[in-house]
Amino acid sequence: MNEERETIVAISTSPGEGGIGIVRLSGSRSLTIADRIFKGKNGLKPSKASTHTLHYGCIASNGEVLDEVLLTVMRAPRTYTREDVVEINCHGGIILLKKVMELTLREGARLAQPGEFTKRAFLNGRIDLTQAEAVVEIIRAKTESGLRSALSQLWGEFSKRLKQVSEKLTELLAQVEASIDFPEEDIGTFSADKMAESIAKITSVLEELLATAKQSRLLREGITISLAGRPNVGKSTLLNSLLERERAIVTPLPGTTRDTIEEFLDIDGLPARLIDTAGIRKAKNLIDRESIRRTRLALREADLILFVLDGSTPLSGADTEIAEEVSKKKTLVVINKIDLPMRINKVRIFFSSEDIVSVSAKEGSGISDLKRAIVSLFRGVPSPEPAFLANLRHQTMLEKALRCLENAHSLLTTTAGEIPLELIAFELRDGLRSIGEVTGEVTTDDILNEIFSRFCIGK
Ligand SMILES: Nc1nc2c(ncn2[C@@H]2O[C@H](COP(=O)(O)OP(=O)(O)OP(=O)(O)O)[C@@H](O)[C@H]2O)c(=O)[nH]1
Ligand SMILES: [Mg+2]
């Protein structure tokens, strides 16, 4: 734990030019280090300053002034890390910031690892693991609703719900253990029923949490949408239209797009990775073969395929071949070029009409209907804005807890004769442990390293 007491430093603003850059120190020596490199205008030493105060002065070493700065003094425990924190607001140039940081290193600070400030906030008990993870989500949020969910997770919404579940579970476990310890007060059939009922209640709360977790993963990670269709039907035009900018090259020549093109898109709050692909056709040369291979990869990855058809031409053999290929996945058929006279037929043989949207990618008509259709496909689930942004780790642990509860429940309800209390207690304990792993009450160094390595340095 000695390592945790070292004073750490990092440039907390993003690298590159900016009006202001911040060098942040955290640890018991922060103020002493600040004393040695900071010359306050009024001569006040940071270590003598009261907490949560801002000081004007300069950073100097060996008589040489490096920068004019504002220095913030925040004393433990009311700080981000619960340690003494000093933030030096410098002019934002990376060379200058590095020089200021080097000075602090020379005075005994250590370079912070990615996420180390937040890790200390966790280790010092200011936040739990789900809140620490929310910090990453806030920094990386790609949509407004993603940001709001991450913020509500940071404020402890997820932790609160998990805590309710684990409190109820602990209560149950205590009852089971009491019955093991005092078998003469036989828990009898009545209380076994009651216990099964309590377990079922917790199970349904957990199931609800899990559903939100799954939905929030979608919101956070986004869905992958691949465009598919034969050459020249207007896939790239559709990509541009959805993005509202001329991202991909469009020409009247079939075979314009060779490589897959990926762009991030916020579709009415649903984050999506949109992939334009090369038209599927018979390969005539090596480039064709490679581009079609890439197209197929993009289709395999897709959560949704937008199958684009040219409405101004009759359905061709090439179209029906692609239709068969894509229909294995969740697909929306986009009939394009409706600004031209319509000659397309037979589409309804392959797809039901609610999966068909007509647009003119070139003129922009029908694009908002298409967006609505996409969103409604992925918004079948409860609230559109979950109260937290669960990740795969949370989901796995919640699923594990759920299995334990189900086991306990079936032990209670299906066992003939004496109720196997020891086994039930074992399952409940295991379930509690899994929930504890989500919040970080139960952790290992591996889990912590995995989580905090996803942070950027300085956070
Ligand atoms: N009239 C009309 N023309 C369109 C529409 N969408 C695309 N086009 C035209 O169709 C031609 C092909 O468009 P692209 O977007 O390059 O088609 P693509 O499917 O990406 O073609 P490849 O990259 O070759 O597979 C271009 O001349 C576009 O201007 C539309 O909605 N209406
Ligand atoms: Mg194209």
Side-chain angles (χ1 to χ4, degrees), residues 194-438:
K194 221 166 121 187
M195 190 161 291
E197 201 180 295
S198 307
I199 291 180
K201 260 196 210 139
I202 305 176
T203 304
S204 74
V205 175
L206 214 49
E207 272 167 349
E208 211 172 287
L209 272 180
L210 197 60
T212 317
K214 283 184 179 157
Q215 189 204 354
S216 72
R217 270 191 71 206
L218 204 71
L219 187 67
R220 188 170 51 94
E221 290 164 13
I223 52 164
T224 300
I225 304 178
S226 297
L227 294 159
R230 66 182 161 81
N232 230 30
V233 291
K235 298 180 293 300
S236 302
T237 313
L238 183 60
L239 173 101
N240 290 345
S241 182
L242 284 166
L243 293 176
E244 295 175 19
R245 66 192 165 94
E246 302 302 309
R247 169 66 180 86
I249 300 175
V250 168
T251 76
L253 305 171
T256 302
T257 307
R258 293 295 185 93
D259 211 344
T260 45
I261 296 179
E262 278 190 39
E263 281 297 322
F264 180 78
L265 177 65
D266 176 349
I267 310 176
D268 304 334
L270 176 75
R273 185 165 70 113
L274 191 59
I275 311 182
D276 182 21
T277 64
I280 297 177
R281 61 195 180 275
K282 295 234 153 41
K284 294 200 193 80
N285 54 39
L286 269 180
I287 304 180
D288 282 356
R289 208 175 304 157
E290 180 57 21
S291 50
I292 292 164
R293 190 184 72 83
R294 288 180 187 212
T295 297
R296 295 235 151 81
L297 267 182
L299 297 188
R300 212 175 306 152
E301 260 185 81
D303 296 305
L304 172 69
I305 294 176
L306 296 184
F307 174 39
V308 186
L309 292 166
D310 182 344
S312 69
T313 62
L315 207 66
S316 71
D319 287 325
T320 53
E321 268 173 40
I322 302 171
E324 268 172 42
E325 197 171 329
V326 298
S327 60
K328 289 174 207 126
K329 283 230 166 179
K330 197 181 267 195
T331 302
L332 274 178
V333 181
V334 182
I335 299 181
N336 189 27
K337 308 198 186 181
I338 54 163
D339 53 295
L340 300 175
M342 286 292 93
R343 312 239 316 267
I344 195 154
N345 48 4
K346 295 194 272 190
V347 186
R348 285 176 177 76
I349 301 174
F350 292 94
F351 294 95
S352 64
S353 51
E354 64 263 29
D355 294 333
I356 303 175
V357 185
S358 299
V359 304
S360 166
K362 196 172 175 181
E363 297 188 345
S365 53
I367 297 297
S368 48
D369 295 337
L370 175 60
K371 286 187 176 174
R372 251 194 310 277
I374 295 171
V375 172
S376 71
L377 275 180
F378 290 90
R379 282 271 169 80
V381 254
S383 86
E385 201 166 284
F388 55 88
L389 286 183
N391 54 34
L392 188 59
R393 188 182 80 79
H394 304 146
Q395 198 179 312
T396 317
M397 286 302 139
L398 291 179
E399 276 166 357
K400 211 168 137 197
L402 203 56
R403 272 199 305 276
C404 296
L405 282 183
E406 281 162 3
N407 291 346
H409 191 264
S410 74
L411 283 168
L412 264 173
T413 49
T414 60
T415 318
E418 201 176 325
I419 295 167
L421 290 173
E422 297 276 1
L423 287 179
I424 292 169
F426 175 83
E427 294 291 350
L428 294 181
R429 235 177 269 129
D430 227 20
L432 256 176
R433 203 188 135 78
S434 301
I435 293 169
E437 277 192 41
V438 179

Side-chain angles (χ1 to χ4, degrees), residues 142-181:
K142 293 197 178 71
T143 60
E144 270 189 49
S145 51
L147 176 64
R148 279 196 295 266
S149 301
L151 279 169
S152 114
Q153 177 168 329
L154 180 67
W155 295 121
E157 196 49 46
F158 192 23
S159 325
K160 200 168 83 195
R161 296 191 193 186
L162 289 167
K163 203 163 157 235
Q164 285 164 353
V165 174
S166 59
E167 276 169 7
K168 291 222 176 77
L169 260 179
T170 310
E171 241 169 67
L172 264 181
L173 181 60
Q175 282 176 28
V176 177
E177 278 170 348
S179 310
I180 296 171
D181 293 343

Side-chain angles (χ1 to χ4, degrees), residues 18-54:
I20 299 173
I22 298 176
V23 173
R24 171 146 76 167
L25 286 154
S26 175
S28 55
R29 298 204 57 237
S30 300
L31 292 163
T32 327
I33 294 171
D35 277 356
R36 298 178 67 110
I37 64 170
F38 176 75
K39 301 276 167 288
K41 180 134 187 289
N42 53 10
L44 182 77
K45 295 256 180 225
S47 61
K48 299 281 178 283
S50 22
T51 187
H52 293 77
T53 50
L54 188 67

